[in-house]
Amino acid sequence: MKNIKICLLIGALLCGCAAPTPEKPEKSEDKTTQKQEINLEKNVKGLELDKLYMEVKTKGNDFLKGITYDKKVVKEVLVDTSNVNYEKEGTYEIVYTIVPVDSKMEPVEKKVQIEVVSPEKAEELKKEGHDVITNETVNEDKKQEEAEKKEEESKGEEQNPSVENPSNESTGNAASGSNSGTSSTGNATGNNAVSKPSTGSNNQGTQKPSTPSHTHNWVQQYTTVHHPEKGHNEQYVIKEAWTESVPIYETVTRDICSACGADITDLDVGAHMYNHMINGENGGYYSDVREVQTGTNTINHPAEYGTRYVVDQAAYDEQVPAGFKCSCGATK
């Protein structure tokens, strides 16, 4: 009986009484792995203005001055000012191109208007609180840039430690060794110490500090191209065409009535005389030589023209891009 109970207990354990397998939880989407778009323009400072003012005939301005950016996101910022005519008042457009570090991203353009104004209007804008680019401000920026460059160079020279005589330094190291006071110390201060300087902290002091890397600040350069005046000759009407009628005269002998003075050459002379006679008037006539119009000569006068020069385009100077130049003297 005891054996039967043991068998029943073992069978119950073998009939699927094992603990159920827990279900695997569903994987939740990690929303933090979604790639966020980078706004390149927000990573650039100095491009907040949408309009600039410049006095006419101002040259050499650095349109990249004051523009900084996060070099982890933005590779470089370029500027295109080829549409600006510095010699003529008007509103033009400057295009800044923000180039990303990630080559898979598209560059972003920032368009800024620039108004080239007269000296009088430039003064008015200054009084209103606007910043106006002039030759004076450009020269001041250049002087400041040169001063900063000289200051940076002087700081670099101050950071370079003076190099001591390596033979003396080696001699001092050898004399401070563990064998000082013995005859071997004198040998250590000889030629071997000079040819093989000690490798300690003193050796590191003679190394020049690494020069900080220079970042080129490319400034657009321009050359002045003069365009001569363009025009053409054209005719204009001085006097319109007109027609003239000139009478034609001939010298002829005519019969003239003595009573009334009428020309009776082509009339019935007898009848004309009779009418005067019955009225108790003189019935005679006489011959007279006269200039008589016998026709008309028509003359057509053509129009009269003159020639004058007409200006199609006035002469002007154009600022043409001529590459880029950095304050260090490099060009591209």
Side-chain angles (χ1 to χ4, degrees), residues 11-19:
L13 294 174
L14 297 176
C15 288
C17 295

Side-chain angles (χ1 to χ4, degrees), residues 166-167 170-171 188-198:
S167 60
S170 300
T171 304
T189 60
N191 295 330
N192 292 335
V194 176
S195 61
K196 295 182 181 180
S198 60

Side-chain angles (χ1 to χ4, degrees), residues 2-215:
K2 187 177 180 180
N3 293 333
I4 294 174
K5 289 181 179 181
I6 294 174
C7 291
L8 291 174
L9 180 60
I10 295 172
L13 294 174
L14 297 176
C15 288
C17 295
T21 303
E23 296 181 357
K24 295 182 179 180
E26 295 182 357
K27 294 183 179 179
S28 59
E29 294 183 359
D30 187 2
K31 295 183 179 180
T32 59
T33 59
Q34 295 179 355
K35 184 177 181 180
Q36 297 179 354
E37 294 184 358
I38 299 175
N39 190 330
L40 292 177
E41 195 169 336
K42 287 186 177 180
N43 287 275
V44 179
K45 295 182 180 180
L47 282 179
E48 292 80 9
L49 295 178
D50 293 324
K51 188 170 185 179
L52 303 174
Y53 297 97
M54 172 180 281
E55 186 177 329
V56 68
K57 295 185 179 179
T58 299
K59 299 179 181 179
N61 182 62
D62 181 7
F63 287 97
L64 291 175
K65 182 176 178 62
I67 296 177
T68 59
Y69 49 86
D70 186 353
K71 294 184 179 181
K72 296 179 181 179
V73 179
V74 179
K75 180 179 180 182
E76 60 181 339
V77 177
L78 306 176
V79 60
D80 181 8
T81 60
S82 58
N83 293 326
V84 182
N85 187 350
Y86 302 93
E87 303 294 325
K88 185 177 180 181
E89 298 176 26
T91 302
Y92 306 94
E93 192 174 71
I94 298 176
V95 181
Y96 287 91
T97 302
I98 305 173
V99 182
V101 174
D102 188 355
S103 60
K104 296 180 181 179
M105 294 179 61
E106 293 293 332
V108 175
E109 289 187 354
K110 164 77 173 181
K111 296 181 180 179
V112 178
Q113 283 189 341
I114 180 168
E115 185 176 350
V116 181
V117 299
S118 63
E120 295 77 13
K121 188 171 182 180
E123 291 299 324
E124 294 179 3
L125 290 169
K126 290 178 183 177
K127 292 179 181 179
E128 294 174 1
H130 296 284
D131 293 331
V132 182
I133 304 171
T134 63
N135 282 316
E136 183 179 356
T137 61
V138 171
N139 292 333
E140 289 178 357
D141 290 342
K142 288 182 179 179
K143 290 179 181 178
Q144 182 179 359
E145 185 178 349
E146 291 176 358
E148 291 176 354
K149 184 180 178 182
K150 290 180 180 179
E151 183 178 357
E152 183 179 350
E153 291 176 353
S154 62
K155 287 182 179 179
E157 292 177 357
E158 291 176 359
Q159 292 175 357
N160 291 334
S162 58
V163 181
E164 298 179 356
N165 188 347
S167 60
N168 294 335
E169 181 179 349
S170 300
T171 304
N173 291 336
S176 61
S178 58
N179 293 327
S180 59
T182 64
S183 59
S184 61
T185 303
N187 296 331
T189 60
N191 295 330
N192 292 335
V194 176
S195 61
K196 295 182 181 180
S198 60
T199 58
S201 59
N202 293 334
N203 188 33
Q204 293 177 355
T206 61
Q207 296 177 356
K208 294 183 179 180
S210 59
T211 304
S213 60
H214 173 69
T215 301

